[in-house]
């Protein structure tokens, strides 16, 4: 088992130990901090993700975001690429997509990652220097490489913070991690 696989298993175990109630309370704290973050406040076009257990819960906070920001969620496109598409009405625009994650319909307008004002990124583990460990498919690393100058914020529970994430040259760091 590689260092990354071992770290993924260790952190996922900690995440799964959190109760649903605890995940919700911690997610609320994280979003309160995100909503006060200057990068977020000045951003107009924001790429976010639809969190699934045991990740930080994003779905309860999508509706309020739609009132104030132009919101884009990822859709898994062909050849393992992520495409960000604008969502304006959750019930109309979202369908269950790859890996059973809710994602925008193909009819929703696309926006390149390099044209976002802020990209909010999921991860399995993060370190204080912006190291990020994803699920292992490289989807976010590929799209984030195209958005090098765009601010990137990772959302994580404290249980997901580690001393050091093993990084390769293909991995992309986030600029900041917001935690509970």
């Amino acid at each position: 088992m590689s260092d990354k696989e071992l770290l993924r298993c260790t952190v996922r175990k900690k995440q799964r130990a959190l109760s649903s109630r605890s995940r919700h309370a911690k997610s609320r704290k994280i979003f309160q901090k995100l909503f006060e973050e200057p990068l977020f406040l000045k951003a107009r076009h924001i790429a976010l993700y639809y969190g699934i257990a045991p990740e930080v819960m994003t779905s309860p906070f999508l509706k309020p975001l739609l009132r104030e920001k132009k919101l884009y969620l990822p859709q898994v496109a062909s050849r393992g690429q992520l495409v960000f598409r604008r969502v304006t009405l959750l019930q109309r625009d979202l369908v269950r997509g790859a890996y059973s994650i809710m994602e925008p319909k193909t009819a929703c307008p696309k926006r390149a990652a390099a044209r976002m004002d802020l990209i909010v990124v999921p991860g399995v583990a993060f370190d204080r220097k912006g190291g990020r460990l994803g699920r292992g498919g490289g989807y976010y690393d590929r799209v984030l490489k195209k958005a090098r100058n765009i601010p990137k914020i990772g959302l994580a529970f404290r249980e997901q913070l580690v001393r050091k994430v093993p990084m390769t040259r293909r991995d992309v760091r986030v600029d900041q991690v917001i935690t509970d």
Side-chain angles (χ1 to χ4, degrees):
M1 189 178 283
S2 74
D3 289 347
K4 286 186 174 186
E5 290 167 336
L6 184 60
L7 183 57
R8 250 184 223 104
C9 289
T10 303
V11 174
R12 282 289 192 210
K13 191 179 221 179
K14 290 179 184 179
Q15 282 180 288
R16 286 189 193 101
L18 295 172
S19 69
S20 179
R21 175 181 239 157
S22 179
R23 274 188 336 111
H24 187 73
K26 287 170 164 282
S27 296
R28 190 175 327 110
K29 285 181 186 176
I30 290 167
F31 268 86
Q32 285 170 344
K33 289 179 182 180
L34 176 66
F35 291 161
E36 294 170 358
E37 169 56 45
L39 288 171
F40 174 84
L41 292 171
K42 74 177 189 178
R44 196 164 162 231
H45 297 272
I46 297 177
L48 190 61
Y49 62 96
Y50 196 99
I52 58 169
E55 296 173 332
V56 171
M57 299 169 71
T58 62
S59 58
F61 310 99
L62 296 177
K63 203 177 244 183
L65 274 172
L66 288 172
R67 290 191 288 267
E68 297 180 26
K69 306 287 183 179
K70 292 187 179 186
L71 181 64
Y72 302 83
L73 296 179
Q75 176 195 48
V76 177
S78 62
R79 298 181 311 277
Q81 299 297 313
L82 285 184
V83 174
F84 290 111
R85 294 187 179 275
R86 181 149 183 223
V87 174
T88 55
L89 187 62
L90 297 175
Q91 290 177 320
R92 178 193 67 208
D93 294 342
L94 297 180
V95 294
R96 193 163 303 282
Y99 309 104
S100 293
I101 300 170
M102 298 302 285
E103 63 181 35
K105 293 179 180 176
T106 304
C108 295
K110 283 193 246 186
R111 186 173 183 93
R115 293 186 58 223
M116 296 296 170
D117 298 322
L118 175 66
I119 301 175
V120 180
V121 184
V124 174
F126 293 92
D127 64 33
R128 295 286 180 192
K129 293 183 178 178
R132 175 188 165 273
L133 179 67
R135 292 180 174 194
Y139 290 92
Y140 267 91
D141 289 314
R142 283 190 291 278
V143 78
L144 294 177
K145 280 185 192 283
K146 298 174 185 174
R148 290 215 182 263
N149 298 323
I150 307 302
K152 297 159 204 60
I153 295 178
L155 302 182
F157 301 126
R158 271 185 264 139
E159 290 80 0
Q160 292 174 260
L161 290 179
V162 298
R163 190 179 64 73
K164 186 173 176 22
V165 170
M167 300 283 288
T168 67
R169 60 183 178 84
R170 288 189 296 237
D171 299 325
V172 177
R173 292 182 182 278
V174 296
D175 301 297
Q176 180 180 352
V177 179
I178 296 178
T179 186
D180 57 305

